[in-house]
Amino acid sequence: MIGHTSQSRRDPWSRLSSRYTPLLVLLACQVMPLAQTWRFPWPEDRIARYTARRVSSPLVIDGRLDEADWQAAERSPRFSDLVGGRPGIHDTRAAVLWDDTYLYVGYWIEEPFVEATLTERDAPIYEDNDVELFIAGRDAYYEFEINAFATIYEVFFIWEREFESSGYSRRPEFDRSRPGVKPFTGVGFKEHPRGPRLGYWNWDMPGLESAVHVDGTLNDHTDRDRGWTAELRIPWRSLEPLAMPDGRALPPRDGDEWRMDFSRFNRYKEAPPANDPGGWAWSPHGVWDSHIPELFTRVRFSTEPLGRK
């Protein structure tokens, strides 16, 4: 019976256990670190991957995404629930293109009632319906948000523990005493292994161009809209602060990889039983927090032009 095993029945196992204890300890020491190396709330093998290809000629930034290169670009899968990975209620997709001068990103956003309220640059666009882009370097990352009014919001984040060693402390634009600079610890994932960040809410990406196009009537619920599209273009030279710590090439070389996050947030929710979180991403995070670069989509840059695989 349980709790009444005799001593004679325990002795053989005790002898066997003693004989192999050193081996078991050695195996545990080897296996446990492997189990603990991945400390993030979404499986590493489920992070999305994408190949960005070169455009045939520079793109006009008007938000329409109607040029031949955008039509030929490989689009992401339908965005999924940021936390659980379920398909989004409304279809949202993104694509990435590039040339030697610019990085291009486009979004296709299904939206039955397109709406926006904020019109002042760097207003809290996340309080509207929006789409967002994060671009990560080794020790810093950039956040961009845009709503259907084409109002944008930008922040530049630097990991606190790398602020000195990566050279950011020696650059005037990253003077941490300037207005608009404050500490940041994340949103829903507060215990990031790299610790806190410095957020630069005074940051404006040099040369950034962005635009939206609404396929319907903005802020008019008397009819049903089809949605909206968003387009942006960033000069590679403007990403130098992200590329600085590890000296990555700008523009990228064939096969180079950048980590980028693509997401969409809606203020309203679909009625139950839809269980709509109102936040979707190309590659989910497993937690309500976009600020986890280790979970960003892996974007590989190919020098092959569009139309070739």
Side-chain angles (χ1 to χ4, degrees), residues 165-227:
S165 61
S166 290
Y168 290 107
S169 64
R170 297 187 291 275
R171 297 180 60 151
E173 66 268 39
F174 297 116
D175 180 352
R176 60 191 301 165
S177 67
R178 294 175 58 197
V181 182
K182 54 187 176 180
F184 180 76
T185 58
V187 180
F189 188 59
K190 295 290 188 179
E191 300 298 326
H192 194 287
R194 297 189 71 173
R197 284 134 278 190
L198 282 174
Y200 288 77
W201 274 264
N202 54 17
W203 181 262
D204 292 329
M205 180 65 74
L208 169 72
E209 296 178 67
S210 59
V212 304
H213 172 71
V214 176
D215 188 2
T217 52
L218 181 61
N219 290 332
D220 181 355
H221 285 200
T222 63
D223 60 5
R224 187 177 178 88
D225 306 317
R226 283 165 290 278

Side-chain angles (χ1 to χ4, degrees), residues 123-153:
I125 300 303
Y126 49 84
E127 294 183 356
D128 264 356
N129 298 342
D130 77 345
V131 289
E132 304 184 6
L133 169 71
F134 288 68
I135 306 174
R138 191 189 72 183
D139 297 330
Y141 60 93
Y142 166 72
E143 177 182 6
F144 169 90
E145 303 179 3
I146 191 167
N147 67 6
F149 270 142
T151 310
I152 70 170
Y153 166 95

Side-chain angles (χ1 to χ4, degrees), residues 2-248:
I2 296 174
H4 297 279
T5 304
S6 68
Q7 181 66 35
S8 61
R9 293 183 61 186
R10 290 201 302 266
D11 283 344
W13 170 245
S14 298
R15 292 193 296 272
L16 185 64
S17 177
S18 299
R19 180 179 178 183
Y20 288 103
T21 293
L23 177 60
L24 294 173
V25 170
L26 177 62
L27 290 173
C29 290
Q30 292 176 338
V31 172
M32 288 181 66
L34 293 176
Q36 294 174 353
T37 53
W38 188 248
R39 299 169 61 185
F40 303 99
W42 190 257
E44 187 175 16
D45 60 359
R46 293 180 62 189
I47 296 172
R49 295 177 179 269
Y50 179 81
T51 298
R53 302 190 186 276
R54 291 178 62 92
V55 296
S56 58
S57 59
L59 300 176
V60 176
I61 306 304
D62 58 10
R64 293 180 176 272
L65 304 181
D66 55 1
E67 290 146 300
D69 283 341
W70 280 124
Q71 296 303 310
E74 180 183 356
R75 301 184 190 182
S76 72
R78 185 186 187 111
F79 283 17
S80 300
D81 174 350
L82 180 66
V83 179
R86 298 178 300 275
I89 297 297
H90 303 302
D91 194 39
T92 316
R93 299 176 192 261
V96 181
L97 298 173
W98 70 291
D99 58 26
D100 284 344
T101 307
Y102 297 107
L103 168 72
Y104 303 93
V105 180
Y107 293 84
W108 291 261
I109 307 135
E110 180 185 54
E111 187 76 76
F113 302 107
V114 181
E115 57 187 27
T117 63
L118 300 170
T119 58
E120 182 179 352
R121 185 186 177 102
D122 288 327
I125 300 303
Y126 49 84
E127 294 183 356
D128 264 356
N129 298 342
D130 77 345
V131 289
E132 304 184 6
L133 169 71
F134 288 68
I135 306 174
R138 191 189 72 183
D139 297 330
Y141 60 93
Y142 166 72
E143 177 182 6
F144 169 90
E145 303 179 3
I146 191 167
N147 67 6
F149 270 142
T151 310
I152 70 170
Y153 166 95
E154 300 174 276
V155 192
F156 194 95
F157 295 94
I158 302 171
W159 294 101
E160 177 80 47
R161 66 177 61 169
E162 278 73 43
F163 183 70
E164 296 283 345
S165 61
S166 290
Y168 290 107
S169 64
R170 297 187 291 275
R171 297 180 60 151
E173 66 268 39
F174 297 116
D175 180 352
R176 60 191 301 165
S177 67
R178 294 175 58 197
V181 182
K182 54 187 176 180
F184 180 76
T185 58
V187 180
F189 188 59
K190 295 290 188 179
E191 300 298 326
H192 194 287
R194 297 189 71 173
R197 284 134 278 190
L198 282 174
Y200 288 77
W201 274 264
N202 54 17
W203 181 262
D204 292 329
M205 180 65 74
L208 169 72
E209 296 178 67
S210 59
V212 304
H213 172 71
V214 176
D215 188 2
T217 52
L218 181 61
N219 290 332
D220 181 355
H221 285 200
T222 63
D223 60 5
R224 187 177 178 88
D225 306 317
R226 283 165 290 278
W228 55 294
T229 47
E231 182 178 25
L232 65 151
R233 178 168 72 182
I234 300 175
W236 285 114
R237 67 177 183 273
S238 298
L239 295 179
E240 184 274 335
L242 294 177
M244 175 184 66
D246 54 6
R248 65 182 66 184

